[in-house]
Amino acid sequence: MTRTVFVYKTVFVTNAVRLMEHRLKEILMAVTAAAAATEVQPYRWRWVALFVILAAEVMDLLDALVTTIAAPTIRQELGGSESLVQWLSAGYTLAMAVGLITGGRLGDLYGRKRMFLIGASGFTLASLLCGLAVSPEMLIASRVLQGLFGAVLIPQGLGLIKEMFPPQELGKAFGLFGPVMAIGSVGGPVLAGWLVDADLFGTGWRMIFLINLPLGLAAVLAAARFLPEFRLSNATRLDLPGVALVSAAAFLLIFPLIQGREEGWPAWTFVSMAAAVVVFALFGRYESRRARSGRDPLVTPSLFRKRAFTGGLLAGLSFFAGLTGFGLVFSLYTQMGLGFTPLEAGLAALPQALGGVVGFGVAMAGLQERLGRGLMQIGTVVMAAGAAVLALTIHLTSLDVTTWQLAPGLALVGIGMGMTMAPFFDIVLAGVEPHESGSASGTLTGVQQLGGAFGTAVLGTLFFNLLASEWGFGSSMQVTVWVEVGLLALTFALSYLLPRHARPQQH
């Protein structure tokens, strides 16, 4: 059984449905693995425990979405440079990317219930620190803590579900994730915008974090009462040096990409990015040596000798970088360029979120099995067409564009996003051996998060640089959209490295 098929969280407002789809795909993979397992005695409070897990999922999902909508207001009230807007998202996703690689192993080693309680408590405390932040630095550090504790929290939920429910009930249990994630992904941006505009009790943007306090406290108390304790007797050990190396490499890459523009691109930024390549190489060499010595590696080295898997990593990096960066820049464009309020910006993003639901539904109606990799390719073409329509709309209307005029292009982007995401993880994992799927799925999840941080850094920096060069909001947004189209073209080309179809599910 795949132990590390975990859910990511995710990331920005207009990427809301992407987060839902990622979770749903890994949930489906978990169902397949669990169905082949031996039947266990059902846990008495399993349905109550399921709702506790769902509450934690929603809390984490919302926090992955809210800062993109609130970022302009946060910067206006708290101060800080333009890079604050990027770090609010990149800090969270970068911490999540690193933490998710080992989050599931912590539950295997020390108990899923214990780690769920630690993750939920830490996430709630970090939310309080975000709400009380008195400086940009404190807020960014608190967001990093949120990402780290979220990476501890989320993997335990799916692991507990697979332990609590017998195979014949797993479909129903995981089936509840669909509507809950859909409601959260569609309603999250609107809720974030409303909370900022409503200024409840004079808290303003702080309420998007403080709302987690009652939710988190309730989740902790309910988890302590209703979650069972499980741990694996044969759990793999932690690879702390590997975690340190990959964390350092990711930071050396992302930090100069975000800070370099404001510093005037001094020599240290290029040295740092070059050093990131060296540290990634050292990480690969260390993992190979660790595997040869019989110890448990963070990432199975043999995966990188498989064309399908490495192609999937590159395709995922390109896809998620473009999607996440586009989401950030679109929110900035609507609020800073068009003068939308946070609530109006959240409503403007709805066509893409709803389109994602439609695209995912179309894929699950049978096209995923019939078309396989072809569905991904059709999805990227539909996304690119939607982005082109959006760029043309902005070009023709300048800053007089309305929400209704933006809707067709965004809806097409969302539909294509759903069609691309639906088969992605299953198809990439079809290129690895069954015993490698745990490490492979964890690595894919981490790369998705790293891609989000990379997209935030690159496209956010590009957008701000164009504004500083007096391109104007409309022109800057158009350039960003065409870069997104280029990344989609790269994803399309890389998809030919993937297997044609996912591995058939066994019943």
Side-chain angles (χ1 to χ4, degrees):
M1 181 188 299
T2 299
R3 291 198 308 269
T4 54
V5 182
F6 301 139
V7 188
Y8 157 69
K9 260 47 15 58
T10 242
V11 187
F12 302 108
V13 172
T14 56
N15 300 340
V17 175
R18 168 175 68 81
L19 301 176
M20 176 194 74
E21 290 160 351
H22 182 188
R23 287 176 175 167
L24 287 176
K25 288 312 300 166
E26 293 198 341
I27 285 166
L28 289 174
M29 290 154 55
V31 171
T32 302
T38 57
E39 185 172 355
V40 297
Q41 184 66 29
Y43 173 60
R44 178 184 178 187
W45 299 105
R46 59 191 180 279
W47 292 105
V48 178
L50 174 62
F51 283 101
V52 175
I53 293 169
L54 286 172
E57 286 277 348
V58 170
M59 181 173 66
D60 182 68
L61 172 63
L62 292 178
D63 263 74
L65 306 175
V66 293
T67 54
T68 302
I69 285 291
T73 303
I74 292 174
R75 183 187 172 217
Q76 181 181 359
E77 297 184 6
L78 196 62
S81 63
E82 292 171 342
S83 64
L84 169 65
V85 174
Q86 295 167 275
W87 279 118
L88 286 176
S89 296
Y92 184 92
T93 53
L94 195 58
M96 184 75 73
V98 174
L100 278 173
I101 300 176
T102 55
R105 291 189 184 182
L106 291 174
D108 294 342
L109 288 168
Y110 303 112
R112 301 192 192 281
K113 178 178 180 178
R114 176 186 296 179
M115 299 315 300
F116 186 97
L117 289 170
I118 291 174
S121 301
F123 193 91
T124 305
L125 177 60
S127 298
L128 175 62
L129 293 175
C130 287
L132 298 177
V134 296
S135 68
E137 293 78 13
M138 179 178 176
L139 181 56
I140 293 170
S142 301
R143 284 288 286 169
V144 171
L145 279 178
Q146 274 192 317
L148 289 174
F149 280 111
V152 173
L153 169 67
I154 294 306
Q156 316 314 327
L158 288 183
L160 283 167
I161 291 173
K162 289 187 288 182
E163 298 285 355
M164 291 187 299
F165 287 87
Q168 63 270 23
E169 292 183 352
L170 273 172
K172 295 179 181 179
F174 284 124
L176 290 176
F177 274 77
V180 170
M181 293 297 104
I183 293 172
S185 63
V186 173
V190 179
L191 175 63
W194 179 78
L195 288 173
V196 175
D197 283 354
D199 193 22
L200 299 176
F201 310 108
T203 56
W205 59 267
R206 299 176 187 274
M207 186 54 70
I208 65 174
F209 300 112
L210 297 177
I211 196 174
N212 284 336
L213 299 185
L215 294 176
L217 181 60
V220 169
L221 294 176
R225 171 66 180 85
F226 294 110
L227 292 187
E229 183 60 279
F230 291 103
R231 74 173 68 185
L232 296 182
S233 58
N234 60 339
T236 57
R237 296 190 178 277
L238 297 178
D239 177 10
L240 295 181
V243 173
L245 283 172
V246 75
S247 301
F251 181 79
L252 287 170
L253 176 64
I254 301 300
F255 185 79
L257 287 174
I258 293 179
Q259 295 297 133
R261 186 189 64 83
E262 293 183 349
E263 301 291 334
W265 299 107
W268 68 262
T269 59
F270 300 99
V271 172
S272 178
M273 287 185 279
V277 176
V278 173
V279 178
F280 272 124
L282 289 175
F283 168 73
R285 185 174 181 180
Y286 170 79
E287 292 298 292
S288 296
R289 292 177 57 189
R290 186 178 178 92
R292 287 196 300 269
S293 66
R295 293 177 293 171
D296 298 316
L298 186 65
V299 179
T300 304
S302 60
L303 289 172
F304 298 101
R305 293 192 289 270
K306 293 177 167 59
R307 187 188 73 168
F309 183 74
T310 53
L313 288 183
L314 293 174
L317 187 67
S318 172
F319 181 81
F320 293 122
L323 194 57
T324 302
F326 168 79
L328 171 66
V329 172
F330 180 77
S331 180
L332 296 174
Y333 166 70
T334 55
Q335 294 185 67
M336 298 170 59
L338 302 181
F340 286 10
T341 66
L343 177 58
E344 290 170 338
L347 291 170
L350 276 181
Q352 182 178 349
L354 294 172
V357 175
V358 172
F360 186 79
V362 168
M364 298 303 292
L367 290 180
Q368 180 174 339
E369 289 75 16
R370 292 202 303 269
L371 298 178
R373 183 182 72 187
L375 182 61
M376 282 182 54
Q377 295 167 337
I378 294 172
T380 56
V381 171
V382 173
M383 281 188 73
V389 170
L390 183 64
L392 181 62
T393 301
I394 295 173
H395 175 72
L396 295 176
T397 58
S398 186
L399 295 181
D400 296 325
V401 66
T402 66
T403 300
W404 293 109
Q405 291 171 319
L406 294 171
L410 288 173
L412 279 175
V413 170
I415 293 171
M417 178 178 65
M419 296 170 68
T420 303
M421 283 298 305
F424 178 76
F425 287 92
D426 280 352
I427 288 177
V428 174
L429 291 178
V432 305
E433 300 301 322
H435 69 275
E436 298 172 324
S437 60
S439 178
S441 60
T443 305
L444 276 176
T445 303
V447 166
Q448 178 182 3
Q449 296 286 352
L450 181 61
F454 185 74
T456 297
V458 173
L459 294 189
T461 296
L462 172 65
F463 182 74
F464 284 127
N465 190 61
L466 291 172
L467 289 179
S469 301
E470 299 182 355
W471 275 58
F473 284 98
S475 298
S476 300
M477 183 64 202
Q478 289 178 62
V479 172
T480 303
V481 171
W482 288 116
V483 172
E484 159 71 341
V485 171
L487 290 171
L488 288 171
L490 178 59
T491 303
F492 180 90
L494 290 169
S495 70
Y496 282 99
L497 299 175
L498 306 181
R500 291 182 179 275
H501 291 278
R503 183 178 289 116
Q505 295 185 5
Q506 299 178 1
H507 300 283

